[in-house]
Amino acid sequence: MKAINLEKIKNRIKTYFSNPANCMLVFFFCVFLGLSIYPITAMIKEMFVVHAGIEKTLITAKKGSFTLYHVQKLFIPSEWSVTSFYIPFKNSFLLGLFGAILAIIFGGVTAWLMTRSNLVHKKIIGTLFMFPYLMPAWTLAQFWIYLFQNSNVMSGNKGIMQSLFGICMPQWFVYGLFPCVIVNSLHFAPFAYILIGGILQNMDATLEESAQILKANRLRIVRKVTLPIVMPALLSTFLLVFSSGFASYAVPVFLGGAVRFYTLASKMKAMINAGYMGQAYIIAAVMILCGIIILMINQKYTNKRRSFTTVTGKSGQVSLVNLKKANRPISIAMIILTVCFSVVPLIVFALQTIQRVPGDYSVSNWTLDFWIGKDLDAYKMGMVGGILVGQDFLMALLRLVLLSLACSAFAGTAGLFIGYSVVRNRRTRLSKMVEAMSFFPYLIPTIAFAAIYLALASTKTFSFLYNSFALLVLVGGVKYLPFASRGCINSMLQVSSEIEEAAILMNVPWYKRIFRILVPIQKTSIFSGYLLPIVSAMREVDLFALIVANSRYMLTTMLLAFNQTGYDQYASAITLLIIVIVLVINQVSSKLTGASISQSVGSYNKQ
Amino acid sequence: MKRLAIVLACALTFSCLAGCGEKDTTTSAEPAAEVNETNAEPVADGNEVDDEEPTFDTEIEKTLYEASKMSDEELYEKAKGETNKTVVYSTTSLAATAVETFLAKYPDLTIEVSDIGEADMFTKLSTEVGSAADGADMALLQNAYRVNNELISEDLLYNYFPEALKGVVEEGYQDPTAILFVSKLIFINKSDASVEDLKNVWELTETKYKDKVFFKNPADEPVGMNFLIMLTSDEWNKKLSDAYKSYFGKEWDNSAEYKSCAYEFLDKFLANCNYTYTADGGICGGIAEGEPGSVGLFVFSKLRTNEVARENLQIAATGNDGKGIEGFAGFMYPTYAQVCADTDTPYTCALFINYLLSEEGGAAWNNEDNMGTYLANTSIALVPDSTGLDKEVDYWLDRCVIEDGDYLAANYAEVYEYIASRIN
C-alpha cells in the first residue's frame, strides 16, 4: 500500500516537472525566496543590533549585540523622533498624496483630450508629454531651481524667470513641499496619461453615447459614466504614483534641502551619514511596509477592474468629442506646456554646459571647453579637458551603456520566463506567490538595496562578485525585474493557451514554443519589457554608487562625483547626454520594433 | 627622567584612547601599537625598562611596526616581493596624481586608486575588511570621528607612521596618520563697498543674516558636523565666549538656557544657515554672484577657478584691516592614511604612506595649481598658488577649528542630537 502511494507521489512529481512552465515556476519561487528572504532577514537583523561608532557609544554595548534602542528612539515620541521620523513621514505622505493627485489630473486630462477629443497636433503633444518621464526626476528639480530662483528667496541668485521677465516667485513656490509635488507630478503625469489613456481608448463609447441620447450634459456624462469606468485605473495610478512619491529621494534633496524639508528617504540617507545604521534600516523597513500595503490595495482594485472591463467589453468605435473653437487654443496651450517641461530643460542644461562661469548667460561667457576643450581644470576628476575628448568619460559612457543593456537582458529574459510560467499556471497559489514576489525588489529603497547586496558579495560564497561588473548587472537586473516581469505577464496573458496547445500536440519542444511562437506574436510588448530596464539603468545613480569600485567607473557615478565637487558644467553635460541617449533609445526602438516606454509603462495596468 | 617621561607618555596615551567612550572590552589596535613603539625606544639603562618583545595581535600589525623602522629603499625591496596589486580607496581625487608619480619612482610596484565618496567609504570598508571580498589595501579618508570609532577601534584599519618622521610631524597627527588638511573658510560678498567686513562670528547669529549664511547641510556632510561639534570643546567654547564679550560688551551669561556659550552660538548660527546649495562649488558661485553681504562657508580651493568669486568675495580671516574675524575663520579637517587590516601588501602601503608624507608625494596637493590644501608634514614649505591668496598652514591652524578625534569620540552623540534637532 505504502509502495503504491510512494509511486503515486513520485509519478505526480514527475508529471508536474515534465511541464517546463512548472519547472520554471518552482525555480523562480526558489530564487525569489532567496532574493526576498536574504534582504528581509538582513534588514531585520540590522534593526536590532548595535553598530560600531555612535550607536556603540550611545548604547554602551558591544557591536553586534541585540538592542531595542533604535526602535524606541525612533518611535517613542520625543524631539528626536518627531524630527527624525514623524515629520519626514508626514512630508513623504503629503508628497506622495498631492503628487499622485496632480499627476492624475495632468495625465488624466491629457489622456482624455488625446483619446476622447478631436484635439489637433496629438502626435507632437503625445511625444513631448512623455519626455518628463524619460528624464530623471532630479533633472526636473534642477530645472525648477534654474527657472524660479530669484533674488528674494534663499540663494538670492536670479533664475530665468527673473532674468527674462522680472518675475519673482515666493519662497514656498521655489523650495519645499509645493515644488516637490509639482516636479513629482510632472514626472509621473505621463505614467498616469498612459494608464488612464489605455482605459479610455478601450472604453465602450456606446455608454457615453447612450447618456448623450438621454440628454445628459457633458459634465454629467464625465461624472456619471466616464469617471466610474476609469476609476479603478485612476486608483491604480494613484497608488503607484503615491508609492513612488512616498519613497522619493532626489527631488526633496534638490528642492527641499534649502528649507529643511526632509522625507523618509532623505532622512534615511542622513542617518547613514551619521552612523545611525539601525534607525536608517528601520526607516527603510517602514518604507517597504508602506509599499507592501499600497501594493496589496492596488492588487485588490486591479482585480476588481478586470471583471468590470470584461463585462464592458471593447468598443470597436470611439466617438470623439468635438472641441470646436476651443480646439486650437487648447492644443497650443498643451504644446507650450509640454515644451516648457520637455524641450526647455534640455536647452537650459545645454546652456549650463557652455558657461565658463555658472549662472552668467551672456554670450561672452560661452565656451565649448567643457565639451571639447583640451586643457581644463577638471584634473581633480582625473580628466584633462572636455568630456568628449577624455578617455575616462568615453569609457564610463561605454560601461553605462553596456550595464544598461546587460541589466535589460537579465531582467527582460527572466521576466519573459516568469511571465510564461506564471500565466501558464494562472490561479495556482505558487503562481500568485511568484507574481507578488517578483515585485518585491521595487519596494526596497535603493540605498538599502545596494548596501544589502554589497554585504552579500562580501561573503565567502559570493566574494567573486565583489567590485565586479557582474555584481552591477545582478543588482540592476534584480531591481528592475518587476518592470520586466509585469510587462511579460501581461503580454503572455493576451496570448491564448490554445496556440501553444496546438504546438504541444505537434510535439514542439517548450523553448521552441516560447521563442518561435509566443515571442514573435508578442514581440512588441516583450521588447517594451526590455526597454524600461535600459532606461531605468541609464539614469540610475544611487543604486550603483556604493557598488562600483571607483566613482569614475560609470557615467552616472561620475555625474554624482561632479555634482559633489561642484563641477556644474560637467554635471550638466553628462545629464544632457543621458537624457539625449534615453530619448534616442526610445525613439529608435519605437521605429525599429514598435516598442516604447509608453508600452512598458502601460503594461502595468493591462491585467 | 627620560624613562619617566616615556612611561608617562605611554600611560597618558593609553588612558586617552581607553577613555574614548567605549565601554565594551573590544581591544583596540592603537594602544598596543603605542606600547610597542615605546618599548622599542632605545634606552641607555635597560634595568628599569620592560624588556619584553613587542607583541602584536596580527601579522599585519607586526609587519607595519617593522616597516615603520625601515628606510624607503628597504621598504621598496620588501614591497617588490608582494605580488598582488595594492588598491587605495580615496576620498581625495588627487591621490591618482600621487599614485602616478609614485609608480614612476617605484616602477616595480602595482598600485591603483579608487575614488570613493565619503559616506560610501565607511560602508564599503566596514563591509569588506576582514570579509572574503577582495577590496582595499589602504584608504585615504576623512572624518576623524567615524575613522576612529567605526574602523580603527574595530581593528579594521591599522595605523602606520614612519619612525623617521616622528620628530617632524606634530604628534597629534601621527596616530591616526594625517597626510594633509583641507580648509573651509568663511567668505563674505563684498561686491558692494557699503558692506562691512565681518569682525566677529557672533554677527552671524544676528537676524540680519537670517538665511544668508550658506553652508552645506551638516547632516549631509560629516566634516561640517564635526566642526560644529568641535565648537563645544573647552578651547573653542572659550574663544566663542571671548568673542561674545567683545561683540556684546558683556560676559556670556552662564545662567541662561544654554549649556555653554558654544551651544547658544550653535542654536542661533544654525537658525541663520541656508542649505540651498548641496556642493561647495555651488556656494562659492552662488554667493559670488548673489546678494552683497551674503556669507558662505566652503572649501578655499573653489576660489582658484572662480574669477568672479575672487573679485567679489572677501576671506573673513584676512578682512577687518588684517585683524580678521574674531571667534573662528573657518574649519579644517585632516585626510588620514590608514592600512586595511587584511591587506596582503603592507610594505607597499607603508612605502606609499612614506611617499605621501614626503615633498615629492605631497606635490600632488602642494603645487601652484592648488590652494586650501596643506601637508601634515609641515617641514615642507607651502608652494604658493597662482592667485597668491593662500597662506602657510600655521596661519590657518591658528584661526580655524580643527577636528580632534578624542573630543569627538567623547561628545559626538550628545552634541549631534542637539545640532540635528536644529537643522531639521
Side-chain angles (χ1 to χ4, degrees):
Chain A
M1 190 65 185
K2 204 176 175 184
I4 294 167
N5 278 344
L6 270 176
E7 193 63 27
K8 214 173 165 182
I9 293 166
K10 214 171 137 187
N11 282 338
R12 272 191 187 170
I13 293 171
K14 209 174 160 186
T15 312
Y16 184 81
F17 283 106
S18 65
N19 182 349
N22 295 344
C23 294
M24 285 179 209
L25 200 65
V26 171
F27 171 77
F28 282 114
F29 176 75
C30 296
V31 169
F32 283 135
L33 207 61
L35 291 176
S36 311
I37 283 178
Y38 179 76
I40 288 173
T41 47
M43 279 187 62
I44 291 173
K45 184 187 155 224
E46 300 294 337
M47 283 156 57
F48 297 104
V49 296
V50 178
H51 298 87
I54 194 166
E55 290 182 5
K56 218 169 93 170
T57 313
L58 282 165
I59 304 167
T60 57
K62 275 184 82 170
K63 180 188 163 191
S65 53
F66 175 81
T67 181
L68 287 172
Y69 175 87
H70 313 310
V71 180
Q72 290 166 345
K73 183 87 176 163
L74 200 63
F75 293 133
I76 292 177
S78 64
E79 191 182 10
W80 175 265
S81 64
V82 168
T83 54
S84 304
F85 179 74
Y86 293 109
I87 292 177
F89 184 89
K90 183 194 82 182
N91 291 341
S92 290
F93 183 82
L94 293 176
L95 180 54
L97 180 73
F98 292 124
I101 292 172
L102 273 182
I104 284 176
I105 293 172
F106 292 157
V109 169
T110 309
W112 186 87
L113 286 168
M114 298 287 283
T115 58
R116 311 293 292 173
S117 79
N118 65 341
L119 188 76
V120 290
H121 307 305
K122 278 184 185 174
K123 197 173 177 188
I124 183 138
I125 294 170
T127 307
L128 291 176
F129 199 79
M130 284 305 298
F131 272 41
Y133 189 71
L134 299 176
M135 291 155 63
W138 49 265
T139 58
L140 281 175
Q142 253 183 338
F143 170 64
W144 187 273
I145 294 173
Y146 293 147
L147 200 60
F148 293 114
Q149 64 181 349
N150 59 69
S151 46
N152 295 346
V153 299
M154 302 315 276
S155 70
N157 296 110
K158 286 181 183 176
I160 295 167
M161 291 300 276
Q162 189 182 10
S163 299
L164 296 181
F165 310 110
I167 297 170
C168 291
M169 302 309 284
Q171 185 171 297
W172 61 266
F173 189 93
V174 189
Y175 297 105
L177 177 65
F178 177 79
C180 288
V181 165
I182 298 290
V183 165
N184 259 5
S185 59
L186 283 171
H187 181 65
F188 289 109
F191 196 85
Y193 157 67
I194 294 159
L195 300 187
I196 298 165
I199 300 294
L200 286 173
Q201 207 157 25
N202 295 335
M203 198 180 86
D204 189 348
T206 53
L207 293 171
E208 284 178 323
E209 284 162 9
S210 307
Q212 217 167 2
I213 291 164
L214 291 168
K215 298 222 167 22
N217 63 30
R218 177 53 56 192
L219 193 68
R220 195 175 165 81
I221 294 172
V222 169
R223 204 159 47 87
K224 294 281 183 184
V225 180
T226 317
L227 269 181
I229 288 173
V230 296
M231 191 51 84
L234 288 182
L235 273 172
S236 179
T237 311
F238 175 84
L239 292 168
L240 285 169
V241 177
F242 175 86
S243 162
S244 302
F246 186 79
S248 177
Y249 169 72
V251 172
V253 165
F254 276 100
L255 291 170
V259 289
R260 302 160 197 212
F261 175 82
Y262 286 96
T263 58
L264 281 180
S266 55
K267 185 48 81 176
M268 185 178 84
K269 179 80 175 177
M271 291 277 192
I272 291 171
N273 281 343
Y276 287 93
M277 301 306 288
Q279 292 180 60
Y281 276 102
I282 293 173
I283 292 177
V286 168
M287 289 165 71
I288 293 172
L289 199 65
C290 292
I292 290 172
I293 293 168
I294 289 164
L295 188 68
M296 284 163 69
I297 299 171
N298 182 39
Q299 280 188 330
K300 193 180 164 193
Y301 279 102
T302 48
N303 284 343
K304 272 185 183 175
R305 183 182 59 77
R306 201 179 303 148
S307 58
F308 188 88
T309 310
T310 312
V311 173
T312 310
K314 196 173 174 180
S315 174
Q317 51 177 345
V318 177
S319 65
L320 298 179
V321 174
N322 189 356
L323 295 174
K324 296 176 188 167
K325 282 183 183 172
N327 197 326
R328 202 152 291 277
I330 292 176
S331 173
I332 290 168
M334 290 291 291
I335 290 173
I336 291 171
L337 201 70
T338 48
V339 164
C340 275
F341 290 100
S342 55
V343 180
V344 177
L346 300 186
I347 296 169
V348 170
F349 279 114
L351 281 174
Q352 296 283 323
T353 67
I354 56 168
Q355 291 172 9
R356 202 180 304 276
V357 178
D360 180 355
Y361 290 88
S362 61
V363 180
S364 59
N365 188 41
W366 287 9
T367 175
L368 285 176
D369 279 356
F370 297 101
W371 289 99
I372 52 169
K374 291 203 171 157
D375 185 26
L376 264 185
D377 179 47
Y379 65 92
K380 278 197 171 184
M381 292 305 302
M383 295 169 69
V384 289
I387 57 171
L388 294 183
V389 294
Q391 198 174 345
D392 273 9
F393 166 80
L394 295 174
M395 287 304 292
L397 172 64
L398 184 68
R399 288 192 199 104
L400 179 64
V401 173
L402 283 177
L403 177 68
S404 304
L405 292 173
C407 286
S408 160
F410 180 104
T413 310
L416 175 66
F417 290 121
I418 291 168
Y420 175 76
S421 57
V422 164
V423 171
R424 289 293 164 262
N425 290 284
R426 201 70 183 160
R427 292 191 184 85
T428 63
R429 194 172 293 171
L430 196 63
S431 161
K432 280 179 189 165
M433 281 168 76
V434 169
E435 190 180 346
M437 284 159 84
S438 72
F439 206 73
F440 189 71
Y442 182 76
L443 304 176
I444 304 178
T446 309
I447 303 163
F449 193 83
I452 288 164
Y453 274 82
L454 186 80
L456 176 74
S458 65
T459 58
K460 206 172 179 181
T461 320
F462 297 101
S463 60
F464 65 94
L465 285 171
Y466 204 83
N467 275 344
S468 71
F469 186 76
L471 180 63
L472 295 170
V473 176
L474 177 73
V475 170
V478 173
K479 185 72 184 166
Y480 305 132
L481 190 58
F483 300 129
S485 61
R486 278 286 152 132
C488 289
I489 287 170
N490 293 325
S491 65
M492 289 293 170
L493 273 172
Q494 290 168 352
V495 183
S496 166
S497 59
E498 287 161 11
I499 299 170
E500 206 192 345
E501 279 160 14
I504 292 170
L505 289 175
M506 300 290 290
N507 278 333
V508 179
W510 67 272
Y511 57 90
K512 279 193 180 171
R513 295 200 300 269
I514 293 179
F515 293 107
R516 294 275 176 86
I517 300 171
L518 300 175
V519 172
I521 291 173
Q522 286 293 65
K523 67 169 187 273
T524 306
S525 57
I526 289 171
F527 194 78
S528 297
Y530 280 84
L531 198 57
L532 201 53
I534 293 183
V535 172
S536 304
M538 282 295 297
R539 61 190 189 190
E540 180 65 64
V541 177
D542 292 325
L543 184 64
F544 301 122
L546 183 64
I547 303 169
V548 289
N550 192 324
S551 63
R552 282 177 287 162
Y553 188 77
M554 274 191 328
L555 203 57
T556 40
T557 50
M558 197 182 239
L559 165 68
L560 190 69
F562 278 132
N563 264 330
Q564 283 167 350
T565 47
Y567 284 95
D568 294 341
Q569 297 94 331
Y570 287 115
S572 295
I574 292 176
T575 305
L576 184 67
L577 259 167
I578 290 173
I579 296 170
V580 170
I581 291 170
V582 168
L583 292 173
V584 168
I585 289 174
N586 190 47
Q587 285 302 311
V588 169
S589 63
S590 179
K591 292 276 177 215
L592 293 180
T593 66
S596 65
I597 291 298
S598 51
Q599 273 175 312
S600 314
V601 177
S603 64
Y604 275 84
N605 215 37
K606 285 182 186 165
Q607 289 182 64
Chain B
M1 194 62 203
K2 190 180 175 187
R3 285 195 301 269
L4 182 66
I6 292 166
V7 171
L8 281 174
C10 173
L12 194 67
T13 314
F14 188 84
S15 60
C16 219
L17 288 161
C20 290
E22 310 291 343
K23 286 201 175 180
D24 65 336
T25 52
T26 310
T27 315
S28 164
E30 302 311 301
E34 286 292 324
V35 171
N36 294 332
E37 283 162 16
T38 312
N39 287 346
E41 276 296 309
V43 181
D45 182 0
N47 293 338
E48 293 174 41
V49 191
D50 189 353
D51 286 336
E52 275 179 32
E53 277 295 302
T55 53
F56 302 95
D57 289 340
T58 66
E59 252 330 283
I60 303 292
E61 270 187 293
K62 187 180 173 197
T63 308
L64 290 173
Y65 171 71
E66 288 165 357
S68 70
K69 299 180 178 305
M70 293 179 186
S71 67
D72 285 356
E73 289 71 28
E74 287 170 319
L75 276 176
Y76 186 35
E77 284 308 311
K78 290 273 189 186
K80 280 182 193 171
E82 295 171 337
T83 50
N84 288 338
K85 177 177 70 182
T86 301
V87 176
V88 183
Y89 282 178
S90 173
T91 50
T92 159
S93 46
L94 283 179
T97 312
V99 162
E100 211 173 288
T101 51
F102 176 78
L103 287 175
K105 186 173 181 182
Y106 301 107
D108 294 330
L109 305 183
T110 322
I111 182 167
E112 73 172 32
V113 67
S114 286
D115 284 342
I116 307 283
E118 190 193 328
D120 293 340
M121 175 76 83
F122 292 97
T123 312
K124 286 196 89 144
L125 288 177
S126 56
T127 304
E128 71 182 33
V129 177
S131 77
D134 186 15
D137 293 287
M138 63 172 286
L140 306 180
L141 69 179
Q142 57 198 42
N143 189 348
Y145 177 73
R146 291 190 77 179
V147 170
N148 276 310
N149 291 274
E150 289 182 28
L151 302 173
I152 293 176
S153 69
E154 297 299 323
D155 288 340
L156 299 178
L157 295 181
Y158 290 145
N159 194 52
Y160 165 83
F161 190 84
E163 195 72 28
L165 287 178
K166 288 224 160 150
V168 180
V169 174
E170 202 180 309
E171 204 178 339
Y173 303 121
Q174 295 178 11
D175 190 3
T177 302
I179 54 159
L180 50 96
F181 307 105
V182 178
S183 63
K184 287 206 177 200
L185 304 178
I186 300 173
F187 298 87
I188 182 166
N189 182 323
K190 290 266 296 172
S191 57
D192 185 333
S194 66
V195 172
E196 286 189 23
D197 290 7
L198 282 171
K199 296 183 181 68
N200 193 305
V201 284
W202 283 94
E203 285 177 54
L204 303 178
T205 64
E206 300 280 10
T207 45
K208 69 172 181 175
Y209 280 104
K210 175 78 183 155
D211 290 333
K212 285 193 167 54
V213 183
F214 292 88
F215 182 35
K216 266 174 88 174
N217 189 335
D220 299 326
E221 193 186 43
V223 289
M225 180 64 79
N226 290 352
F227 144 67
L228 294 173
I229 292 169
M230 283 307 302
L231 289 177
T232 63
S233 67
D234 288 344
E235 180 192 355
W236 289 101
N237 186 53
K238 165 102 181 35
K239 288 184 180 176
L240 283 171
S241 299
D242 293 344
Y244 182 94
K245 189 179 173 190
S246 164
Y247 186 68
F248 294 106
K250 58 177 183 181
E251 293 283 345
W252 181 75
D253 177 10
N254 62 3
S255 65
E257 57 183 301
Y258 298 101
K259 195 175 170 184
S260 72
C261 182
Y263 277 80
E264 180 173 349
F265 178 81
L266 285 174
D267 186 31
K268 294 176 175 170
F269 172 75
L270 291 170
N272 283 351
C273 282
N274 185 321
Y275 308 126
T276 303
Y277 299 106
T278 54
D280 282 328
I283 301 177
C284 174
I287 67 160
E289 299 272 334
E291 208 180 328
S294 297
V295 173
L297 191 45
F298 59 85
V299 284
F300 192 16
S301 60
K302 292 294 166 195
L303 236 61
R304 200 182 67 78
T305 51
N306 193 325
E307 208 178 315
V308 181
R310 287 201 300 276
E311 275 173 24
N312 290 353
L313 302 184
Q314 183 187 66
I315 307 165
T318 57
N320 190 21
D321 297 327
K323 288 182 284 207
I325 184 170
E326 198 176 346
F328 59 86
F331 66 98
M332 296 174 82
Y333 51 93
T335 295
Y336 301 103
Q338 293 287 288
V339 182
C340 295
D342 61 355
T343 179
D344 45 14
T345 60
Y347 291 110
T348 308
C349 293
L351 185 60
F352 187 56
I353 292 174
N354 284 2
Y355 184 72
L356 293 175
L357 288 166
S358 72
E359 188 169 0
E360 218 177 338
W365 294 271
N366 188 29
N367 58 60
E368 61 179 14
D369 289 330
N370 201 12
M371 63 191 275
T373 311
Y374 313 91
L375 302 182
N377 183 351
T378 48
S379 68
I380 302 164
L382 178 80
V383 176
D385 73 287
S386 49
T387 67
L389 289 169
D390 212 350
K391 294 180 187 298
E392 287 288 345
V393 65
D394 289 341
Y395 177 88
W396 300 115
L397 284 171
D398 286 344
R399 290 160 177 80
C400 292
V401 180
I402 187 150
E403 289 182 356
D404 173 352
D406 292 340
Y407 182 78
L408 288 171
N411 299 279
Y412 190 92
E414 183 193 338
V415 192
Y416 178 91
E417 296 200 3
Y418 181 81
I419 293 167
S421 64
R422 278 150 184 84
I423 56 178
N424 288 325

